[in-house]
Amino acid sequence: MRDSLQSYMQVGIVHFMAYPECLKGEGPIYDTLTKIVEDDFFSAVEITWIKDPAERQRVKTLLASSHMTVGFGAQPALLTQKLNLNSFDPGERKRAVDQVKACADEAAEVGAQAVAVLSGPDPGGRRDEAMKLLIDSLRDLAGYARGKGLRLILESFDAKYDKKCLIGPHKDALVVCKALRKDFPEFGIMVDLSHLPIQEETPKKALGTLKKPNIAHIHIGNCVKRQGHPLYGDQHPRFGIPGGENDVPQVVEYLKELFEIGYLAKGRRPVVAFEVKPAAGETSGAIISNAKRTLVEAWAKV
């Protein structure tokens, strides 16, 4: 590709995955986020809950000075507390909804533009019932998010390898999307290259199923399908790790499909964000540089 990749996208990164010590809303959030904000390769960043109000205020000030697009992931708050937006228990479902609303409050406070969630576990034989409950929860949350000036996004995960989520297959994500977008046209699905191998879908299938209007956000990363591997499942290892599924060729294929459906086009500049995580013995700085080099090399081959 002859033009610069920044002409076609805002390159972003998921802060709480690159620095997993911050995933539970604690740790050196401001200090590590500063490293990303000061790296002009990035035009966007995704953060998550920050339990300390004083730290949250520092982050707000930092982000306000950054000229970056900011997103907010509620997934860590849901996953670490085992909260389920499609739970059959009304009380448990309400706790999940209330937690996301609290995350939306934080997101609005720090100047984010969107808040992302994931579905709960796939219940097997009661999937249809769970889908209805998920849609009800998402409608409630989409209205709340809109009131805060935020866009609600649903991220799809694997259904059988690791997270074992209801959404899940992109054909089901499309059903949810159609139900929500009648009243909330800003709602959409997040597609992650990291998840596609363990969703058993190709970029062509996933992106072709959803199509451009229903795709709200894009992640790129890696995963491991081989059982017995220390990073098996949805661990977002570095690109090119032995036994992993994604490297430069897979990123090239993904980018080409994003162009094919019109999601990437000159002048649009949607966010395309890395979701990568250091393994034991690796540094955050090294895996971030790995991701940047991978994207630059892939871009040259698109």
Side-chain angles (χ1 to χ4, degrees):
M1 180 66 69
R2 186 171 296 175
D3 293 336
S4 71
L5 61 89
Q6 283 87 1
S7 297
Y8 289 85
M9 66 181 74
Q10 298 175 66
V11 181
I13 189 165
V14 179
H15 164 260
F16 54 85
M17 195 61 70
Y19 294 95
E21 61 269 35
C22 303
L23 190 133
K24 294 184 178 180
E26 301 165 330
I29 297 171
Y30 177 86
D31 291 342
T32 54
L33 184 59
T34 297
K35 295 179 181 180
I36 292 172
V37 168
E38 292 178 350
D39 184 343
D40 64 5
F41 189 86
F42 296 114
S43 300
V45 67
E46 295 167 43
I47 65 169
T48 190
W49 56 342
I50 304 171
K51 293 179 180 178
D52 180 1
E55 183 81 343
R56 195 157 61 242
Q57 185 59 44
R58 294 177 75 206
V59 165
K60 176 183 178 179
T61 301
L62 175 67
L63 292 174
S65 72
S66 70
H67 212 291
M68 299 178 84
T69 298
V70 181
F72 191 104
Q75 302 96 320
L78 292 169
L79 288 167
T80 59
Q81 298 177 96
K82 294 181 168 55
L83 298 174
N84 179 0
L85 290 172
N86 47 265
S87 173
F88 298 123
D89 181 325
E92 182 181 341
R93 195 166 64 254
K94 184 178 185 303
R95 285 191 292 276
V97 168
D98 287 347
Q99 177 61 75
V100 176
K101 288 180 178 178
C103 285
D105 292 342
E106 284 195 32
E109 181 182 348
V110 300
Q113 297 178 6
V115 60
V117 299
L118 79 164
S119 65
D122 186 334
R126 300 177 69 185
R127 293 190 84 257
D128 288 347
E129 185 181 351
M131 287 280 283
K132 292 176 182 176
L133 293 171
L134 175 63
I135 289 169
D136 285 346
S137 295
L138 293 174
R139 281 201 179 106
D140 185 0
L141 291 171
Y144 190 86
R146 179 186 282 175
K148 295 286 179 176
L150 299 163
R151 180 183 194 184
L152 183 70
I153 296 172
L154 175 67
E155 183 175 10
S156 66
F157 280 75
D158 69 281
K160 69 177 186 179
Y161 283 87
D162 190 338
K163 299 297 191 295
K164 301 179 181 179
C165 288
L166 178 64
I167 310 295
H170 286 101
K171 64 179 178 60
D172 294 334
L174 182 60
V175 171
V176 173
C177 211
K178 286 181 175 179
L180 265 289
R181 283 173 60 85
K182 292 176 183 177
D183 298 311
F184 302 97
E186 68 274 20
F187 176 84
I189 304 298
M190 182 193 303
V191 182
D192 190 338
L193 177 61
S194 311
H195 297 159
L196 294 186
I198 53 178
Q199 289 173 306
E200 299 182 338
E201 296 189 24
T202 63
K204 188 175 189 66
K205 180 179 179 182
L207 299 172
T209 295
L210 289 174
K211 298 186 172 52
K212 174 184 158 186
N214 300 307
I215 300 171
H217 194 62
I218 291 294
H219 278 174
I220 53 175
N222 194 11
C223 70
V224 174
K225 285 179 71 174
R226 194 179 76 196
Q227 291 193 4
H229 192 290
L231 295 174
Y232 171 79
D234 183 26
Q235 296 301 310
H236 295 276
R238 71 182 188 273
F239 290 102
I241 193 168
E245 297 295 321
N246 295 329
D247 202 351
V248 172
Q250 289 73 32
V251 176
V252 170
E253 179 188 3
Y254 194 48
L255 293 174
K256 285 182 175 178
E257 290 300 329
L258 288 169
F259 273 107
E260 182 66 26
I261 65 168
Y263 188 82
L264 288 181
K266 190 71 175 285
R268 286 202 74 232
R269 301 195 71 238
V271 174
V272 175
F274 298 121
E275 189 167 10
V276 289
K277 178 183 175 184
E282 297 177 347
T283 68
S284 295
I287 63 100
I288 292 170
S289 294
N290 167 303
K292 291 193 287 187
R293 293 179 188 118
T294 301
L295 179 59
V296 169
E297 185 176 347
W299 186 255
K301 298 178 178 180
V302 172

